[in-house]
Amino acid sequence: KRSKRIYSHSMPSYVKQHITACKLNASSSAASSVVCVGEALWDALPDGIYLGGAPANVAIHLSELSGDTTEVSLAACVGMDRLGTEVQRRLELRGVSTLLQRSEAATGMVVAELSETGDATYTFDTPAAWDYLRATPELLQRARTANVVVIGSLAGRLGCDDGATSRDAICELRSVCQPDSVVLDVNLRAPWYTPEAVLDLAGGGETGGPLALIKVNDDELAIMEGWLNTSGTTPVETALGGEGLEKRMGALGRVLNAKRVCVTRGERGAALWCDDSDHESTTDTFAEHPGYPISKIGDTVGAGDAFLAALIRSLLLERESNDLALSRACAIGAYVSQCRGAVPRHVDAPEELQTIFSFV
């Protein structure tokens, strides 16, 4: 199978024209629905406490990117406490429909410690309410009918032997989704994962279909290659760009039965591999984007979640080109990296970035 590579180093004029056309046609887009499933919790940063959890962050950013064209819902479990009530209030203020369950366990809290470059390390309260999500009939029906279902790997950190229910619930939801609708957001936070749990979620068990998209960062790519015995040692086999990275991503996609693989590389941007064999094209496509400059250091919390929200909107809902999807995703990721907290409002973004990632 031949491969077509696209390298996006700046925003070409045709991309600018495409963005303009999308904005003019946004009001005519058919209504769609996205369900994000996983954790909703509070991030305790050095300068304050912020709403967080990867699926919650994705839902908020996706809702703001979509306006009235898409119903975005979050399925999560919070405590029967004031913090749980505040999670619901803030999600609804940001336009997210809530499918929140309540648990006697406390609403989740994570302490994030920041390095000088803004990179975060996390310490989680355990157990927490988000470990006790259940696959209710209402939630299963939402998963069956949604255009996109976003599932995070972190919510499955505890198994049934620990008394938790989220892992089994997410696997059950995964099994009833429409074809080409499931997005797996891999978040490997040591020690809160096992290869078996993550790979089972990726594979969907006996009834799960192929993944529409799997997103990993460069470290997670290497870890998963080790699990699947697809890793190498030569410079090409460990490359984070060009043909070497394309081969690595293609191998991961084929083993996991994923139609699209995205690898984020921090300040070096991101890459996207797609298996186009189901369409008129008989080639795989591979695109890279070097990322956008960051004018100031905020923190990295939520940057990858904002990136994923834009990628979903562009690639899976609008069906835009791979290079345009990466450009949008890198632009919003750069903005969030300059801010404190995971879900800054998009209207406050620099105009040069907002013009790229905005759909409305």
Side-chain angles (χ1 to χ4, degrees):
K1 181 186 287 187
R2 295 182 299 106
S3 178
K4 178 174 63 179
R5 292 190 293 274
I6 304 170
Y7 300 96
S8 301
H9 298 289
S10 60
M11 187 167 63
S13 59
Y14 75 88
V15 173
K16 296 179 182 178
Q17 294 167 1
H18 191 96
I19 289 174
T20 301
C22 288
K23 291 179 178 179
L24 291 174
N25 294 328
S27 61
S28 63
S29 298
S32 53
S33 64
V34 177
V35 178
C36 301
V37 185
E39 68 275 11
L41 45 76
W42 293 94
D43 291 326
L45 298 174
D47 64 341
I49 296 177
Y50 299 84
L51 181 61
N57 297 338
V58 172
I60 290 172
H61 284 293
L62 191 52
S63 177
E64 193 159 349
L65 287 169
S66 301
D68 295 331
T69 64
T70 301
E71 180 188 15
V72 181
S73 305
L74 175 70
C77 188
V78 297
M80 293 185 289
D81 49 27
R82 187 170 182 177
L83 286 177
T85 301
E86 186 64 12
V87 167
Q88 180 167 358
R89 188 183 77 87
R90 295 201 187 187
L91 286 168
E92 291 175 349
L93 283 173
R94 300 298 292 272
V96 177
S97 299
T98 54
L99 301 170
L100 296 184
Q101 301 170 12
R102 294 290 184 126
S103 167
E104 293 183 358
T107 298
M109 181 77 70
V110 54
V111 177
E113 298 181 4
L114 304 179
S115 68
E116 292 182 358
T117 59
D119 293 323
T121 56
Y122 302 92
T123 303
F124 294 90
D125 283 354
T126 305
W130 54 277
D131 295 311
Y132 300 103
L133 183 70
R134 302 176 309 282
T136 63
E138 179 189 9
L139 191 48
L140 287 166
Q141 181 60 23
R142 289 291 192 101
R144 288 188 186 98
T145 58
N147 298 92
V148 177
V149 177
V150 185
I151 56 178
S153 67
L154 184 59
R157 62 176 181 157
L158 300 179
C160 57
D161 291 344
D162 303 300
T165 57
S166 292
R167 183 188 299 175
D168 287 347
I170 294 173
C171 286
E172 187 173 353
L173 292 170
R174 164 89 167 86
S175 70
V176 302
C177 296
Q178 296 185 53
D180 198 25
S181 68
V182 178
V183 174
L184 176 59
D185 183 18
V186 176
N187 286 292
L188 302 183
R189 309 291 189 201
W192 300 116
Y193 65 86
T194 65
E196 294 79 14
V198 177
L199 294 177
D200 187 51
L201 191 57
E206 295 181 358
T207 57
L211 290 168
L213 170 68
I214 180 171
K215 181 184 80 72
V216 297
N217 63 30
D218 46 5
D219 292 330
E220 291 161 346
L221 173 62
I223 291 171
M224 294 189 74
E225 285 175 328
W227 297 346
L228 299 167
N229 296 318
T230 62
S231 57
T233 57
T234 68
V236 171
E237 292 170 330
T238 58
L240 284 175
E243 185 177 354
L245 179 58
E246 177 187 355
K247 290 181 178 179
R248 296 176 67 188
M249 294 169 68
L252 183 70
R254 284 184 280 272
V255 171
L256 294 180
N257 195 20
K259 293 186 176 182
R260 304 166 187 86
V261 178
C262 182
V263 174
T264 58
R265 305 176 297 198
E267 70 278 2
R268 293 166 295 174
L272 178 65
W273 172 89
C274 300
D275 178 0
D276 288 338
S277 58
D278 290 343
H279 305 288
E280 294 181 2
S281 172
T282 58
T283 65
D284 296 341
T285 57
F286 178 73
E288 293 187 86
H289 195 286
Y292 291 97
I294 297 175
S295 59
K296 62 178 181 179
I297 297 176
D299 59 58
T300 60
V301 179
D305 305 325
F307 175 99
L308 180 58
L311 197 67
I312 290 170
R313 179 78 207 165
S314 179
L315 201 63
L316 301 183
L317 297 179
E318 297 292 341
R319 299 292 176 176
E320 294 178 339
S321 65
N322 297 343
D323 54 332
L324 178 55
L326 276 182
S327 183
R328 290 191 189 277
C330 286
I332 196 171
Y335 164 55
V336 175
S337 295
Q338 300 176 45
C339 303
R340 290 295 187 190
V343 287
R345 293 187 179 274
H346 298 177
V347 68
D348 297 324
E351 183 177 359
E352 62 272 18
L353 293 177
Q354 192 177 150
T355 299
I356 299 169
F357 70 68
S358 177
F359 292 83
V360 293

